[in-house]
Amino acid sequence: MAQLWGGRFTKETDQLVYIFNASITFDRRFWKQDIQGSMAHVKMLSRQGILTKEEEQQILEGLSGIAADVESGALEITEEYEDIHSFVEANLISRIGDAGKKLHTGRSRNDQVALDMRLYCRDEIDAIDELEKQLLLVIERIMEENTETYMPGFTHLQKAQPVTLAHHFGAYFEMFRRDRGRLADIRKRMNVCPLGAGALAGTTYPLDRSCTAELLGFDEPTANSMDSVSDRDYVIELLGALSTVMMHLSRFSEEICIWNSNEYRFVEIDDAYSTGSSIMPQKKNPDIAELVRGKTGRVYGALMQILTSMKGLPLAYNKDMQEDKELTFDAIDTVKGCLALFAGMLDTMKFRGEVMEESAKKGFTNATDAADYLVLKGIPFRDAHGIIGRMVLACIEKDCALDDLTLEEFRSFSEAFDEDVYEAISMRTCVERRNTAGAPGPAAIQEEIRRNRAYLGL
Ligand code: ARG
């Protein structure tokens, strides 16, 4: 057992208590951030004359050595230490001796861990943002290649009106773009430095908190020392944003499972991204999409856990807050894995344009346009709606589409129909005429693609 606080105790910690209390098994994950924070702290202590230049040099070299050795694998972070902070400090002292004992001057593990977690989350936000960008690049390419790939648009999972694959994917582009915006908002709000808050009430040393904040790339120091050590809002916000990312991925996954089904056959998932069945030789399953959909629950779970752990905590630091880490790490890993795999699956997926177009032609997706045709011929919309409704019913009985009716049959429902109705209600016309901003028509989708390209810096 390597602990930083033996002085006031007369008995060894019970072994089970030690294990229950220790966090090294998971907080070793942010060893880099812990060392980075210590380096900034030491530089500031020396600038303020609290440490000598020489002590600063010795400590910085010691910390660099630890970082290099952990990186190379020469130094292992073992469970004999209580936490990552103890590991670094103990190793520093064994490397450089007495100067190492001054590292923790004017600092508590409470502000130290608050800093480490913030640095870690900030780094991960940047990594997740990059993965979201890679996914958007794949979506954008598929949009550009499929502005004339017609497919049915659905409401209530019933065919509604024809759209294009580009338009459908454009909806997901917006969702993932908003995800990035949310991450950027959180990053901005959380980018304040808690170091120097001490255990809860600051310190008597003349620390320059702005200096450490600047050295670590923060906008400024946190304002209140009690809040600094007990705030985990940014973890909650991050897990909220990650839950939304997963909700988006999960909806997309659900659509891919549907599109991949034998009934739809809209897409063909690449062999590299699907799996077979041990018993049914014909099977090719969309496991990646299903797993992404399933893993959404893990991330929601992490959000529920941190909200629940925080809800009853009095100020300031309480050990409950150590529970902020494991599920957050798991949620971050899960989201990163899902984003990367999902992008790979989309990038290699084939779209069956003919099947989608055939499907779009069925299910009366042009019924609204047929009603609009009558409106252009002077019939009020509500009457037109009724006429087309009766025609749809007749077509269902005959098992045909509106387009299959003869002109005579059309005119038996309304004298307003002419030869030009066939062109007016053809599936392609239905899409091509929809050019209001954000619609699937060619002018509108080209504008959407142009804006997406500019957003991605293409
Ligand atoms: N392992 C602790 C955590 O994750 C570090 C802070 C410990 N502070 C304390 N007063 N015991 O929260």
Side-chain angles (χ1 to χ4, degrees), residues 23 27 83 85 109-110 113 317 319 322 325:
S23 52
D27 64 18
D83 53 30
H85 326 300
R109 278 185 298 168
N110 296 352
V113 78
Y317 179 82
K319 199 58 175 266
Q322 181 165 287
K325 292 174 197 63

Side-chain angles (χ1 to χ4, degrees), residues 368-391 410-418 421:
T368 315
D369 295 74
D372 290 344
Y373 170 91
L374 289 178
V375 170
L376 277 178
K377 303 277 175 173
I379 297 180
F381 180 77
R382 193 47 60 210
D383 292 339
H385 189 284
I387 293 167
I388 303 298
R390 285 190 290 280
M391 290 176 71
F410 266 109
R411 294 176 68 90
S412 71
F413 288 94
S414 166
E415 287 292 306
F417 283 117
D418 271 317
V421 67

Side-chain angles (χ1 to χ4, degrees), residues 1 21 26 31 39 71 120 137 237 369:
M1 298 188 202
N21 190 53
F26 47 90
W31 63 269
M39 286 179 152
E71 186 86 70
Y120 181 81
L137 286 166
E237 286 190 50
D369 295 74

